[in-house]
Amino acid sequence: MSYQLYRNTTLGHTLQECLDELLQLNMLSPALALRVLIQFDKSINNALATRVKTKLHFKADKLNTYRFCDNVWTFMLKEVEFRENSELAKVDRVKIVACDAKSSTTSRADAE
């Protein structure tokens, strides 16, 4: 199982728009479009798990809400300060969605 979180990014939306256009032009079957999206999910999860090495620290004045469902944590934070080395950024509100990397281990093996 791969998480489908990244379909909601600019890259994911663009891919879905392209697939929709190809479906409308009958240049792609619905089954193949679904396979492309599933492969996108596996590949993006694998790339982020293996290639990204940057660490970021953050501190929030207030944890507004949190929930845990299906091994996915969701945090809503207010007045958040992000720090990477000497760079600092402050934002009013942040939503963090954190998924268990161990549960997508089989997906990483499938993506390779």
Side-chain angles (χ1 to χ4, degrees):
M1 174 201 123
S2 286
Y3 294 107
Q4 299 177 0
L5 291 171
Y6 303 105
R7 289 186 190 185
N8 218 13
T9 62
T10 303
L11 183 61
H13 283 295
T14 304
L15 174 61
Q16 289 181 41
E17 288 173 12
C18 291
L19 292 173
D20 288 343
E21 187 176 323
L22 291 172
L23 284 168
Q24 289 175 359
L25 296 172
N26 293 322
M27 297 178 72
L28 193 67
S29 70
L32 185 55
L34 181 60
R35 284 181 53 200
V36 169
L37 285 173
I38 291 169
Q39 185 59 50
F40 170 77
D41 296 334
K42 290 178 182 178
S43 297
I44 197 80
N45 280 286
N46 180 51
L48 290 172
T50 58
R51 296 182 186 176
V52 177
K53 303 298 180 204
T54 304
K55 293 192 180 199
L56 187 69
H57 300 275
F58 65 92
K59 180 173 71 172
D61 285 346
K62 182 177 182 185
L63 172 60
N64 198 31
T65 60
Y66 65 94
R67 69 182 72 90
F68 180 70
C69 182
D70 296 330
N71 287 331
V72 177
W73 280 101
T74 304
F75 301 94
M76 302 294 283
L77 307 170
K78 286 188 175 181
E79 303 300 323
V80 185
E81 183 178 282
F82 290 94
R83 188 178 302 272
E84 180 190 10
N85 298 326
S86 62
E87 294 184 40
L88 178 70
K90 294 182 181 182
V91 293
D92 295 333
R93 295 179 301 163
V94 171
K95 177 180 181 180
I96 296 176
V97 179
C99 305
D100 185 7
K102 293 177 186 171
S103 65
S104 65
T105 314
T106 56
S107 301
R108 282 190 219 134
D110 293 343
E112 292 175 358

